[in-house]
Amino acid sequence: MSAPGLRRRLACAECTRKKIKCDKVVPCQNCTRRQHEPSADTLESNLSTCIQELQATLQATEPEAIGASPQQVIPISGHSNKETAEVEDAATILEFLAWGRRKVQAYDGFNPRSDGPGRSPGDVALDDDPNEEATHLRLSDDSSSLTLLQLLLPKSRCIRQIIQYHCDSLLWYHASFHAIVFQDEVDQFLHQHSCRIDAPNVDLQWVALLFAVLAGSMTCAPATVAHSWGFGEQERCTIAGRWFKAALVCLHRADYISNHSIYAVECIATMTSSAHMLGHSNSHSVMLATAVRIAQSLGLHLLGSGAQDTPSSMIRKEIGRRVWTELCIQDWFSIPFSESYLIHLLDFNTARPMNCREEEMVSLPDDEPTSMSYHRILYQVARLMPRLQDDLAQSITLYTKYEHVLRYDTQMRTLAKHVPPWLKNTPLQPSWPRHVPWARHCLSISSAHKIIMIHRKFLWPSFTNPAFSFTRKTCIAASKTIVRECKLVAEEDGPILWIYHAFAVAASIILCLDLLFRSPSDAEHQGHRDLVQNTIAILSRSGPSMIAKRGVRILRLLYQAEQSRSLADIVTCDEVSCMSPNEQRCAIDIRKLVQAVCDQEASAAAPGPITCPDPLAPFTFQARGRSSDDVFGSLLGPQSRFEMHDSLEDILFLAQSCGSCYG
């Protein structure tokens, strides 16, 4: 847009002189055909005009920017709104970067194909080697696709083993399909259709679900389990990616966007367990949004409980409720990153799925663990997020916003306190499902991360503003809980869920940011550094997980910055010498840090386990010997102290006076 009173001449001088049409490119096609190159005077005149126009535009639109140094370090105050948002949202931006996604504060014409600062690595390419075209699946309708898909399926016995593992070890976490119904459909596929994808009456959207289940098992199963199926480490990593892409191929060949089916919704929801690990977070977020629209067109958001339902209709409704609540969980837990959501609580009329065993479909009390128990609890937690987002959006002052944060913090503590006994550190019962120990770890990790999500808007100010010290202490305590639980998970032989890596990265980012604001002489300083080192060690042994690989790069950069105390690699140095030590620790240029991570992403070697060149401190955690109540007590603090006070002043006073409870 030109400045007022200054109109830019777009046509070249020769075309203007001859009064002929010009394509407004220098040199234009007419001049080129006439072998007439513009003179040096003409080029100089055009450049001079452009410079004058740019200067006038800058003076008219951003007068405060004239004279500012482009290399200026941006501390806590005195910078633009966009830069302020980036700095204050540092933890979210860095966490999202580990997923291969970019958190854009406001659309500014950003070109996703450019290589400029701020571009995230994005999704991992589905085709690892473009030179091997003959072996790659394509999202097309050609007849060869089905032949290639058929080659990806292992023998029937192996298929059964992989599916059984998913139903026993993974389905409790996402609950995106009904185990018995799906296994019956697999039996029909193997026997009646001879495991042929191109057989008549085989629904490709169901085949997509099959590949999604296979990909989830292969991605999340420990190496020892995959080896028992006959897959070595290299083939395991390769086939997991191929199965993930095969699910996409089947969906597209079935035209799932137009031909709506419950199988497509189940497939996309199930793919969440492998999408983040395989590096497809960006595309999967769009797939989830598509699944929401398909589910709404099928009426899954309107499934109430009916007393007159037949057994078959009851199962169909239960399947719909399960996958719909999973979509709700995924949508609402992404609110802190997108600051929006697709599914509104006011439009939600679906009854919560039953707590029942797959073979009985009889509602059981919450004290009885089933494959749906954890999913129901997670859904209750997720319901807090859209309400918090709405209350924050309707508040004007930081005072009222922070009151909402503290109120939802209290609600989250209440939910965590009243979990069923089987999720606490009570002795395991032989009749309980095998996933109960894993669900306990997940609850501790997820609850801690949700506390961080509630406080996320005030995390950065909490490092410098004493009024928000409760947020800093709470988020640090939650981060410690996440890292310690992930250490316990890494020592067990259970499934490797994507939240272990994603939330460990998020927790360690917070600890790194805290180190930048903490003096090395502080008592907690070395403990935080050890926790970050432990996280790097755990993630470095996480095999094909892209979240782990990106997380290691981010944490190393932050860790090295804190170690050197110069921030030379992630901030400019023009004004560092003029800052106080505390200002130097907080002067983080998020864009430069993002660019550094992207540069490392571009120059990274072939996908493989990342090794740490420096020896890391040995693990010092003790096996958990305390009750789950103690876990939540150390994580969330003494709830009774906050239940008795309603005013913000009282809560802030208590937060500052009982800081030792959150250290």
Side-chain angles (χ1 to χ4, degrees), residues 546 549-550 553 597-608 610:
M546 290 305 302
K549 292 181 180 181
R550 287 169 174 156
R553 298 185 185 114
V597 175
C598 294
D599 291 342
Q600 289 193 10
E601 181 84 8
S603 61
I610 299 175

Side-chain angles (χ1 to χ4, degrees), residues 282-490:
N282 258 343
S283 58
H284 191 64
S285 66
V286 180
M287 295 289 290
L288 285 171
T290 305
V292 169
R293 291 303 184 215
I294 295 175
Q296 289 172 335
S297 74
L298 296 173
L300 301 189
H301 62 306
L302 302 174
L303 291 175
S305 57
Q308 305 300 323
D309 289 338
T310 63
S312 60
S313 65
M314 181 183 298
I315 292 177
R316 288 196 299 270
K317 283 189 175 182
E318 182 66 15
I319 292 173
R321 295 188 195 103
R322 293 182 180 187
V323 70
W324 176 251
T325 52
E326 172 64 12
L327 294 179
C328 292
I329 291 172
Q330 295 299 323
D331 183 38
W332 295 338
F333 279 161
S334 68
I335 288 175
F337 301 106
S338 62
E339 299 182 10
S340 63
Y341 54 94
L342 296 174
I343 303 172
H344 292 263
L345 288 171
L346 294 178
D347 300 329
F348 189 86
N349 297 316
T350 299
R352 194 162 56 137
M354 291 190 298
N355 184 45
C356 63
R357 298 186 180 92
E358 301 288 79
E359 63 275 9
E360 296 177 357
M361 297 299 294
V362 176
S363 183
L364 299 173
D366 288 334
D367 290 349
E368 185 73 24
T370 70
S371 60
M372 285 302 302
S373 299
Y374 181 84
H375 190 257
R376 285 164 52 88
I377 294 173
L378 205 62
Y379 170 72
Q380 290 295 99
V381 175
R383 284 174 60 90
L384 297 178
M385 300 306 160
R387 295 169 179 169
L388 171 62
Q389 171 66 20
D390 291 343
D391 287 341
L392 291 177
Q394 294 170 5
S395 301
I396 302 300
T397 66
L398 288 178
Y399 186 98
T400 53
K401 287 180 182 290
Y402 200 50
E403 280 190 324
H404 287 308
V405 168
L406 295 178
R407 180 162 58 88
Y408 282 95
D409 174 283
T410 301
Q411 294 183 33
M412 179 63 210
R413 296 167 188 270
T414 302
L415 286 176
K417 181 188 295 184
H418 294 92
V419 297
W422 61 271
L423 277 171
K424 302 178 181 180
N425 198 32
T426 56
L428 297 175
Q429 302 298 322
S431 60
W432 287 354
R434 62 177 303 190
H435 70 261
V436 168
W438 308 329
R440 291 177 176 180
H441 291 308
C442 280
L443 181 64
S444 296
I445 293 172
S446 187
S447 297
H449 187 257
K450 301 312 166 280
I451 282 287
I452 294 174
M453 289 174 63
I454 290 173
H455 285 268
R456 193 181 293 276
K457 278 293 183 182
F458 291 89
L459 177 58
W460 183 266
S462 73
F463 292 122
T464 56
N465 191 336
F468 306 128
S469 60
F470 175 72
T471 288
R472 181 177 184 178
K473 295 166 186 174
T474 299
C475 290
I476 290 173
S479 299
K480 291 179 178 179
T481 297
I482 291 173
V483 175
R484 288 167 178 160
E485 288 293 323
C486 287
K487 166 59 174 60
L488 294 175
V489 168

Side-chain angles (χ1 to χ4, degrees), residues 30 57 185 241 335 403 423 439 461 627 655 657:
N30 290 332
T57 302
E185 292 170 339
I335 288 175
E403 280 190 324
L423 277 171
S627 69
S657 63

